[in-house]
Amino acid sequence: EADIYQTPRYLVIGTGKKITLECSQTMGHDKMYWYQQDPGMELHLIHYSYGVNSTEKGDLSSESTVSRIRTEHFPLTLESARPSHTSQYLCASSEYWADTQYFGPGTRLTVL
Amino acid sequence: AQTVTQSQPEMSVQEAETVTLSCTYDTSENNYYLFWYKQPPSRQMILVIRQEAYKQQNATENRFSVNFQKAAKSFSLKISDSQLGDTAMYFCAFMKPYNAGNNRKLIWGLGTSLAVNP
């Protein structure tokens, strides 16, 4: 069982609010990822990091931003939430040279 | 560019029976990694099985096994003795080898929704 945590699990928020989705892992993994997934659909990579102070945009354009100040922590921020941001956000991590990613339980975000 | 295709959007199987989920992929790489991930209704994505392309032997994990056909670029998942807890979305995924450096991202299929019926 992978030790990767996401909070909150569910969030309902109004348009224009600033939100931060938290992701933490206790495995010491260098690589971390954020995926966006609509219900019943495939995963889209929106951000990734290969270590502290390293962040890259993924394949799907996103208005969110991320930071990686500590190895174990990879928060995702939306400065001004909109209904189009309604989705599930999955965080994952892996060792630097490994290929297996371990996933958190996800945050289901609803923007009204 | 690599692509992963899962041609079965939905499948169902009776409890205790065997079901096979199909996955094909396209790549010019010789060495790579293939995965099956499971996402139950609780939504946590879980690794089911992993296959290294340079290994000819098919990977197995308890009731889960794969049929890896490298020449055909096919990577099907067989679930034996299906259980109600196997009900989930199953995703096939591809990753480039280590020498791809920082470009080693997972390429995902669209998923197959599997329902195990009592």
Side-chain angles (χ1 to χ4, degrees):
Chain A
E1 193 81 12
D3 296 323
I4 180 164
Y5 308 98
Q6 290 185 244
T7 58
R9 292 292 310 277
Y10 303 92
L11 179 61
V12 180
I13 202 162
T15 296
K17 299 292 185 181
K18 177 180 178 179
I19 60 169
T20 296
L21 307 185
E22 302 287 350
C23 175
S24 295
Q25 49 94 7
T26 58
M27 298 170 284
H29 287 170
D30 288 308
K31 292 185 176 179
M32 296 188 75
Y33 311 83
W34 275 105
Y35 291 92
Q36 185 174 341
Q37 183 188 30
D38 292 328
M41 302 296 286
E42 74 271 36
L43 282 74
H44 295 286
L45 181 67
I46 52 174
H47 297 284
Y48 60 99
S49 167
Y50 288 135
V52 171
N53 295 325
S54 150
T55 61
E56 301 285 347
K57 289 191 178 295
D59 303 317
L60 180 68
S61 176
S62 173
E63 293 167 345
S64 58
T65 58
V66 292
S67 62
R68 190 88 184 275
I69 299 173
R70 303 198 315 267
T71 298
E72 63 272 21
H73 195 214
F74 191 41
L76 181 146
T77 298
L78 276 166
E79 290 293 333
S80 180
R82 295 207 303 265
S84 61
H85 297 138
T86 293
S87 190
Q88 174 162 255
Y89 293 84
L90 296 174
C91 181
S93 71
S94 69
E95 295 178 11
Y96 192 87
W97 293 111
D99 44 79
T100 300
Q101 294 183 14
Y102 297 92
F103 284 80
T107 293
R108 183 174 295 281
L109 172 66
T110 301
V111 184
L112 303 176
Chain B
Q2 287 75 22
T3 58
V4 175
T5 302
Q6 293 180 248
S7 59
Q8 305 150 315
E10 296 180 353
M11 293 190 71
S12 64
V13 64
Q14 293 299 119
E15 198 174 5
E17 294 188 346
T18 295
V19 64
T20 298
L21 310 183
S22 65
C23 172
T24 58
Y25 57 94
D26 187 24
T27 184
S28 58
E29 303 281 349
N30 187 45
N31 293 322
Y32 45 86
Y33 299 85
L34 295 163
F35 307 85
W36 279 99
Y37 278 88
K38 167 185 176 181
Q39 190 177 36
S42 66
R43 298 284 179 170
Q44 182 142 15
M45 191 77 74
I46 304 166
L47 177 68
V48 175
I49 203 161
R50 168 184 173 274
Q51 175 80 41
E52 300 170 23
Y54 63 87
K55 289 187 177 179
Q56 293 184 339
Q57 186 172 6
N58 289 326
T60 63
E61 285 289 341
N62 301 315
R63 298 182 295 107
F64 299 87
S65 61
V66 297
N67 182 6
F68 173 48
Q69 302 289 330
K70 191 173 183 179
K73 297 180 181 175
S74 171
F75 183 60
S76 60
L77 175 70
K78 185 172 84 170
I79 305 174
S80 304
D81 186 25
S82 297
Q83 300 175 1
L84 296 178
D86 295 333
T87 292
M89 195 77 163
Y90 287 82
F91 291 95
C92 179
F94 168 98
M95 181 179 279
K96 286 184 176 180
Y98 292 120
N99 59 7
N102 286 343
N103 199 24
R104 296 187 72 229
K105 304 169 196 172
L106 277 171
I107 310 299
W108 296 86
L110 295 182
T112 296
S113 178
L114 175 67
V116 179
N117 302 313

